[in-house]
Amino acid sequence: MYPYQYDPRFQNLFPPGGGQGFPPPPPGGGQGFPPQGGAQPPSSPPPAFTPTPKLGSGGPSLYAVDPGAISGCLYRYTYIWPRNGRPYWFYPTFVGRRSVAGYRWTGSFWVYAGVDVNQIREFQCV
């Protein structure tokens, strides 16, 4: 099983009390948790391939991602293309009205993280 750690760089994504539909941050400073509901990270790395975006042009989308659509990716390896930044593998374990939380692959291990659905340009689960 691959280790997972709470990465304090992502702590500002989880305001006190859960705010914006995020679950509360992991207890005890994040070491040795499972987060709310006992959701665990995957026991293996994400797939070795990189999916191809379906938007075609690679340009920005004018529409926000629908939380109902991404909820179909719960507990599945999901590739995220953010509006800003580099794409990454994600393993969602929680979908709120405006946010998604789960585990983000760092290239070496999974870290618990969250993202506002408005910051997702495109996603694809496998």
Side-chain angles (χ1 to χ4, degrees):
M1 181 170 178
Y2 286 84
Y4 59 94
Q5 299 175 348
Y6 175 71
D7 190 330
R9 293 176 296 172
F10 297 110
Q11 69 186 6
N12 63 342
L13 294 175
F14 302 102
Q20 294 191 15
F22 282 121
Q31 300 302 319
F33 68 95
Q36 179 182 23
Q40 296 287 325
S43 58
S44 61
F49 68 91
T50 301
T52 304
K54 295 184 179 179
L55 287 178
S57 68
S61 170
L62 299 176
Y63 304 103
V65 166
D66 175 24
I70 202 166
S71 67
C73 294
L74 278 170
Y75 304 102
R76 295 173 62 189
Y77 294 112
T78 304
Y79 203 74
I80 302 284
W81 287 272
R83 292 188 182 280
N84 295 306
R86 297 175 61 186
Y88 55 91
W89 281 106
F90 192 67
Y91 187 81
T93 59
F94 170 86
V95 177
R97 290 179 300 142
R98 298 185 334 221
S99 62
V100 182
Y103 296 90
R104 182 175 175 162
W105 182 248
T106 67
S108 302
F109 53 88
W110 294 101
V111 294
Y112 192 62
V115 63
D116 187 307
V117 293
N118 292 328
Q119 298 304 312
I120 299 173
R121 179 174 51 93
E122 188 174 348
F123 66 93
Q124 182 178 339
C125 46
V126 295

